[in-house]
Amino acid sequence: MIKIGMMIGDRYEVLEKIGTGGMSDVYKAKDHKLNRFVAMKVLKQEFSENENFVSKFRVEAQAAAGLMHSNIVNVYDVGEENGIYYIVMELVEGITLKKYIEKKARLSYKEAVSIAIQVSMGIEAAHNNHIIHRDIKPQNIIISKDGKVKVTDFGIAKAATSNTITSNVMGSVHYTSPEQARGGYSDEKSDIYSLGITMFEMLTGRVPFNGETTVAIAIKHIQEEMPSPAEFVAEIPGSVESIVLKCCQKSPDRRYQSIQELIADLKQSLMNPDENFVVQNDPDMEGGTRMISDGDMAQIKRRAAYQEYEEPDTMRLRSESEDYYENPEDMDDGDEYDYNPKMERVTTLLAVFGGIAVCVIVIFLAVRVFGNMNRDRDDNKGNQFVTDDSDASGSGESEGEYIPMPDIVGRTMEEALNILLGADLSPQRKYEESDTEPIGVVMRAVDENGAEVNAGDMILKGATITITASAGPSGIEIPPVVDLPFEVAQERLQDLGFTVIKVEGYSEDVAEGRVVSQVPEASTKAPAGANITLTVSLGKQTNMVQVPNLMGMSEAAGRQALSEHGLNVGDVRYEYSQHEAGLIFYQSFSARTYVEAGTAVDIRISQGPEPTNTPKPATYRCNVSIDAPTKDEDPEYVPGTPVEVKVVTDDGKVLQEFTETSFPKTVNYYNLTASGGTITLTYTVEVESTVSGSEQGKTTETRTITRKVDFEKE
């Protein structure tokens, strides 16, 4: 049972519940090892008790953990503790594509295509690692506050299809492919079909097939003609319409054969939306819409019956599905696919030869086009393909792939960001006051050298493009917040009406919790409500390792354990104690805490009880958890401020001195002669300062807090 505040895996602190789904609940948690916030997806109890499901879930989740891509909600960790199965993922602040569509009713074709490109890139990364999503739908696509599109729930769908049957296929029936609805084999082209349905919904604000029951909708995916999105929104360009229809062909062989092909056509549609460049395979009997066979109907019926009787606690089919069948006992199994094998082989051969012919033509045209471009470069040294130090022969030419600059001038900042991200470019935001352009509309774009780039200009793939949008006639000046604590910076910006987006990263120079950089820059002007991205320091990047439990080990075993964990042996002492002679009874860092690799751990080895003829002085132990200054102690203390901590015994022995920004901090010492001591916290705060005859300003003030600590008698 998950409870707020509990610690999982000696690492993840559960903070709050942020979502729930059919199979799992999602919590916001803090990773204390890497000091960052994460999303933790925890399997519901009814799934955790199914050993077969858990086994497949673990395998698929571990495979998903190997995926790292900017358009995927990355999986950091997978684990189990006391029957709790969990996946730790990247925490993305934003909304699902489903909510975004509902909010806007429908999206413009340019925004829909830009989102589809980013989704496709995430799917491409998975397919390249032989992972099929099997549950692509707007609910599994997240748009972050800075416009980045990310696909989530990789790995879970495959585990679900094997055991819960309809929790995936029937539960997401509006987006399922015909082969999934039949219960047949699904592959990469099933994801392409589901993405096509998702694009249809982005463009029209509705799904193509609907019905009173999940079975009825599944049958429509198999049997009914796919409607064109242009039937609902006439202004959708022809190329976009063709892309959606090709993705949603009934036969997988007539869809895009790879996600890379789809990405290429999507990018082309942004630049030439009205061109007829989408290649449709020749229609054949297998590709056309056909009536559902008895075998297909029996298969869907068996799937519905399995869930109805075998899994009553999972997502159930509605009982009205009985209306679609006269008598289940009258059905035989039938063949799952009713097709002509000879015709299939002929079609496949024709498709292969056709593909080869197309490739030859494309290569020939590419040689002609790029050959002319090479000659143009030699004749014109001012061309963008040539670097500043290139000579007359054309040497010094920049390496890498060049792409045409998309047309973003006149679009909103949000649309421009999505288009540039979809074109594999790195956008940066700026605002500028304008009396003529509407607020938020892009006025121009410049490259990394400050040169203006226009639509169609050839630019290096991955280049940084700074887009300048209108702040209106009277924008708000952005204050400088670099090096301020994040909470302070956030409050200042929000007070001015800006929206703050937090991004975390390591920094060698800026203290943990303080702002490293801000975009747009300080002293520029932006309209109210504009996004201000703050990069916040996580401190210096360290290689943290877990301290093993050495208590009760022999000295040799303790030394070996420290070495295996990447730690060093510090001060070793041999002292009388009530513990068994020869065994470790003290370690300077608590077991299962995290310290930097290479840290020296002090240990003490027992010599057994002290001889009885020698008076034994009383000894004490110091086991305390040091917290940051509280509001009662100092209401002006800002979390994340570096604090110098000093622990001293009453007889003057300094136990520990260190500087810390993240609390609590545990201190453990044994065999002390003093019965108590003090903890001193020293830090600085910003305060208002008024100097006589001058304006009020800010100054720093050093403050000290002293706490009395009583030690426990050993």
Side-chain angles (χ1 to χ4, degrees):
M1 181 70 179
I2 294 291
K3 295 182 180 179
I4 303 302
M6 73 182 296
M7 188 74 73
I8 296 179
D10 290 325
R11 175 175 179 176
Y12 305 108
E13 180 186 358
V14 179
L15 300 178
E16 60 177 310
K17 188 174 183 178
I18 57 177
T20 188
M23 293 186 295
S24 58
D25 296 316
V26 184
Y27 297 86
K28 181 179 180 180
K30 184 172 183 180
D31 180 353
H32 284 276
K33 178 178 179 180
L34 297 178
N35 194 26
R36 66 182 176 187
F37 292 105
V38 295
M40 177 174 284
K41 178 165 289 191
V42 181
L43 276 180
K44 291 183 176 178
Q45 186 174 0
E46 58 264 36
F47 294 101
S48 300
E49 294 172 353
N50 186 324
E51 293 183 3
N52 191 26
F53 175 82
V54 167
S55 175
K56 294 185 178 182
F57 165 80
R58 185 185 293 114
V59 171
E60 291 299 321
Q62 288 171 347
L67 290 176
M68 295 297 291
H69 192 272
S70 59
N71 294 116
I72 290 176
V73 176
N74 295 307
V75 176
Y76 297 144
D77 192 12
V78 179
E80 181 270 333
E81 182 175 289
N82 298 326
I84 298 172
Y85 296 88
Y86 61 89
I87 300 176
V88 181
M89 304 180 298
E90 173 186 4
L91 180 65
V92 181
E93 295 185 5
I95 62 172
T96 65
L97 177 58
K98 186 71 173 181
K99 293 291 186 183
Y100 189 64
I101 296 172
E102 292 172 353
K103 180 180 177 182
K104 300 190 70 172
R106 64 180 178 86
L107 311 184
S108 69
Y109 85 87
K110 291 183 178 178
E111 188 175 14
V113 170
S114 298
I115 292 173
I117 289 172
Q118 294 191 62
V119 173
S120 298
M121 288 178 173
I123 297 173
E124 179 186 25
H127 287 184
N128 288 341
N129 284 274
H130 311 293
I131 294 176
I132 304 165
H133 193 289
R134 289 177 169 84
D135 198 19
I136 295 294
K137 56 185 178 181
Q139 294 90 327
N140 284 338
I141 298 167
I142 300 176
I143 302 177
S144 68
K145 288 184 178 180
D146 59 355
K148 194 71 173 177
V149 179
K150 291 177 177 284
V151 185
T152 188
D153 272 359
F154 273 98
I156 297 175
K158 184 173 181 181
T161 56
S162 300
N163 279 280
T164 60
I165 303 294
T166 56
S167 66
N168 178 44
V169 176
M170 294 301 180
S172 304
V173 70
H174 289 100
Y175 310 92
T176 193
S177 65
E179 60 269 23
Q180 285 176 292
R182 290 189 184 93
Y185 173 79
S186 58
D187 60 8
E188 289 86 349
K189 293 184 281 293
S190 301
D191 283 349
I192 292 175
Y193 183 95
S194 300
L195 179 54
I197 301 295
T198 300
M199 285 191 280
F200 185 101
E201 185 173 358
M202 284 194 285
L203 293 164
T204 65
R206 51 161 289 165
V207 291
F209 300 119
N210 222 325
E212 293 184 359
T213 66
T214 53
V215 172
I217 301 169
I219 293 173
K220 288 183 179 181
H221 277 286
I222 298 171
Q223 179 174 308
E224 290 195 5
E225 188 73 36
M226 175 72 182
S228 168
E231 294 178 15
F232 303 95
V233 182
E235 58 265 29
I236 295 175
S239 66
V240 178
E241 175 189 18
S242 298
I243 289 171
V244 173
L245 293 177
K246 184 172 181 178
C247 287
C248 298
Q249 290 292 319
K250 305 294 184 188
S251 169
D253 293 335
R254 298 190 69 209
R255 299 174 203 153
Y256 287 97
Q257 296 304 291
S258 71
I259 201 74
Q260 292 90 343
E261 293 180 15
L262 173 58
I263 292 172
D265 275 5
L266 287 169
K267 290 182 177 180
Q268 180 75 355
S269 71
L270 279 180
M271 296 181 287
N272 303 294
D274 297 318
E275 286 190 11
N276 183 20
F277 55 81
V278 178
V279 178
Q280 300 284 357
N281 294 338
D282 290 335
D284 54 58
M285 291 299 293
E286 294 310 311
T289 301
R290 65 176 184 272
M291 297 301 293
I292 186 169
S293 68
D294 289 343
D296 290 334
M297 295 177 70
Q299 176 72 358
I300 297 173
K301 181 62 177 177
R302 282 194 299 273
R303 294 163 61 78
Y306 179 91
Q307 183 171 8
E308 189 71 28
Y309 297 110
E310 295 296 326
E311 298 194 10
D313 295 329
T314 60
M315 299 172 62
R316 301 173 62 95
L317 291 172
R318 293 173 55 183
S319 60
E320 290 89 339
S321 60
E322 300 286 349
D323 298 341
Y324 285 85
Y325 308 97
E326 296 179 1
N327 186 350
E329 296 179 357
D330 292 339
M331 301 179 187
D332 55 28
D333 288 344
D335 293 327
E336 186 174 350
Y337 295 100
D338 182 18
Y339 70 96
N340 186 330
K342 293 182 179 180
M343 180 63 73
E344 182 72 17
R345 287 194 292 272
V346 171
T347 303
T348 301
L349 289 174
L350 289 174
V352 170
F353 287 121
I356 294 173
V358 170
C359 290
V360 170
I361 295 171
V362 170
I363 292 172
F364 173 76
L365 293 175
V367 170
R368 291 288 301 273
V369 171
F370 286 101
N372 291 335
M373 292 170 65
N374 286 332
R375 287 192 291 273
D376 291 342
R377 284 202 299 269
D378 292 337
D379 294 337
N380 183 1
K381 291 173 60 179
N383 189 288
Q384 291 184 8
F385 286 86
V386 183
T387 59
D388 294 338
D389 58 351
S390 61
D391 55 30
S393 65
S395 62
E397 185 177 343
S398 298
E399 295 182 356
E401 180 183 348
Y402 285 84
I403 58 175
M405 174 67 186
D407 184 8
I408 60 171
V409 174
R411 303 185 187 280
T412 65
M413 176 68 84
E414 178 182 328
E415 289 177 332
L417 288 171
N418 284 330
I419 290 172
L420 293 180
L421 288 169
D424 289 332
L425 296 169
S426 178
Q428 295 289 339
R429 308 188 305 276
K430 281 184 65 176
Y431 290 92
E432 187 178 283
E433 287 184 333
S434 172
D435 295 326
T436 58
E437 295 295 333
I439 293 176
V441 170
V442 175
M443 300 184 291
R444 64 178 174 277
V446 298
D447 61 17
E448 294 162 329
N449 299 318
E452 188 166 342
V453 288
N454 299 307
D457 289 348
M458 302 304 292
I459 54 177
L460 187 65
K461 186 176 181 179
T464 298
I465 302 297
T466 301
I467 49 181
T468 302
S470 169
S474 56
I476 304 170
E477 185 171 332
I478 303 172
V481 295
V482 171
D483 208 33
L484 292 179
F486 171 72
E487 293 80 3
V488 176
Q490 182 183 40
E491 184 177 356
R492 289 189 184 179
L493 292 170
Q494 289 178 342
D495 287 347
L496 293 172
F498 295 121
T499 300
V500 176
I501 298 173
K502 182 182 180 181
V503 177
E504 293 181 314
Y506 293 104
S507 173
E508 295 296 318
D509 305 315
V510 180
E512 181 181 0
R514 291 181 174 263
V515 178
V516 177
S517 63
Q518 62 184 90
V519 177
E521 297 177 353
S523 302
T524 59
K525 293 187 176 182
N531 291 337
I532 310 296
T533 301
L534 302 183
T535 301
V536 181
S537 173
L538 291 173
K540 293 183 178 181
Q541 187 167 10
T542 57
N543 183 15
M544 306 296 286
V545 296
Q546 192 176 48
V547 178
N549 184 11
L550 307 178
M551 307 298 285
M553 287 186 179
S554 67
E555 180 181 352
R559 288 179 178 273
Q560 182 178 349
L562 290 174
S563 177
E564 290 174 351
H565 284 74
L567 299 168
N568 295 324
V569 179
D571 183 38
V572 179
R573 297 184 187 179
Y574 303 88
E575 300 177 354
Y576 293 116
S577 77
Q578 297 303 313
H579 299 85
E580 183 179 345
L583 301 184
I584 298 173
F585 69 93
Y586 163 82
Q587 61 188 85
S588 57
F589 292 94
S590 299
R592 295 183 296 278
T593 58
Y594 286 88
V595 297
E596 195 170 345
T599 296
V601 178
D602 300 338
I603 58 176
R604 292 182 186 172
I605 315 298
S606 174
Q607 291 181 307
E610 194 171 3
T612 55
N613 57 350
T614 304
K616 182 181 178 182
T619 59
Y620 302 86
R621 61 175 175 266
C622 170
N623 303 122
V624 296
S625 178
I626 304 174
D627 293 318
T630 65
K631 290 293 184 184
D632 291 336
E633 290 175 322
D634 186 353
E636 293 180 311
Y637 168 77
V638 176
T641 300
V643 179
E644 295 179 8
V645 181
K646 187 174 183 179
V647 183
V648 183
T649 65
D650 287 342
D651 56 5
K653 182 179 180 180
V654 178
L655 298 181
Q656 208 160 356
E657 284 185 282
F658 57 90
T659 300
E660 187 61 59
T661 58
S662 179
F663 291 91
K665 178 71 174 179
T666 302
V667 174
N668 297 302
Y669 277 92
Y670 297 84
N671 201 30
L672 302 174
T673 56
S675 61
T678 57
I679 299 173
T680 304
L681 309 179
T682 306
Y683 54 94
T684 61
V685 296
E686 277 193 344
V687 295
E688 301 289 344
S689 174
T690 304
V691 180
S692 177
S694 65
E695 296 182 356
Q696 189 177 29
K698 293 277 188 180
T699 186
T700 58
E701 179 180 294
T702 301
R703 295 186 179 177
T704 300
I705 294 174
T706 301
R707 299 170 181 166
K708 177 64 178 171
V709 181
D710 293 325
F711 300 156
E712 295 182 12
K713 194 171 184 179
E714 289 183 323

